[in-house]
Amino acid sequence: MGDDIKRKRILLVSGDEAVREFCRNTLSGHGHSVELAADQPQALGRLKTSEYDLVISDIGAPRLDGIDLYINILKNHPYLKNRFLFIIGVGGADLTSFLNYIQIGYLSQPIGSTELMEAVGRACLPGSFNFSEKRTERRFKMEADCV
């Protein structure tokens, strides 16, 4: 799936240099343009000056709270709402259940190149959307049915 998507411009946000380098090498090796940010302030600065097709972010690291970054993106860069992937370490069942519930893609560490490219391919599919949009559409339909 990863090889047949068009070249994408990706912002990769991670406090871990090894993760940044691995992901950049893998993604750029498949023809994608990748910009790196080590923390949330760097990521927000890049988002002020550039547009991206996808953001991949650690969910938590020093000076990086992935959830806060995602919320900021929802407020200030709504075009990225459905173009976001989290990288998670040992997050436990609660975290993965939450991410599955709101249908935000995630990669569990350690990340393999195949897993990374498949996740990017899924995130970049035309018409992809997350659960919150689907739930809102259903709610409006039900309200219209009740009136």
Side-chain angles (χ1 to χ4, degrees):
M1 179 182 294
D3 290 329
D4 58 355
I5 61 173
K6 293 181 182 176
R7 177 182 160 99
K8 299 295 179 189
R9 188 168 160 86
I10 299 170
L11 176 61
L12 178 67
V13 188
S14 176
D16 184 329
E17 185 177 354
V19 170
R20 286 193 312 266
E21 291 303 314
F22 168 77
C23 290
R24 178 176 58 177
N25 291 339
T26 300
L27 294 166
S28 61
H30 284 83
H32 300 294
S33 172
V34 181
E35 289 192 29
L36 304 177
D39 55 28
Q40 185 171 351
Q42 281 185 357
L44 295 175
R46 294 202 189 290
L47 284 162
K48 285 180 182 177
T49 59
S50 299
E51 288 192 2
Y52 299 93
D53 299 304
L54 178 66
V55 176
I56 302 173
S57 174
D58 276 344
I59 200 154
R63 295 189 56 181
L64 173 62
D65 181 332
I67 299 291
D68 283 346
L69 178 62
Y70 180 70
I71 290 168
N72 185 295
I73 285 172
L74 289 178
K75 290 179 186 175
N76 299 304
H77 310 280
Y79 75 94
L80 286 168
K81 179 179 181 178
N82 302 317
R83 304 287 188 222
F84 201 97
L85 289 173
F86 279 118
I87 298 171
I88 63 173
V90 181
D94 289 342
L95 176 59
T96 56
S97 293
F98 171 72
L99 294 174
N100 284 328
Y101 177 74
I102 60 174
Q103 289 195 349
I104 294 177
Y106 65 90
L107 293 158
S108 298
Q109 291 181 334
I111 303 167
S113 58
T114 301
E115 296 155 321
L116 176 60
M117 294 312 303
E118 287 176 353
V120 167
R122 283 189 303 273
C124 293
L125 286 174
S128 63
F129 60 95
N130 66 27
F131 182 77
S132 60
E133 285 180 326
K134 189 174 183 181
R135 189 177 67 206
T136 301
E137 289 170 6
R138 271 192 301 208
R139 188 187 83 225
F140 288 139
K141 183 178 187 318
M142 286 189 270
E143 286 175 358
D145 292 341
C146 295
V147 174

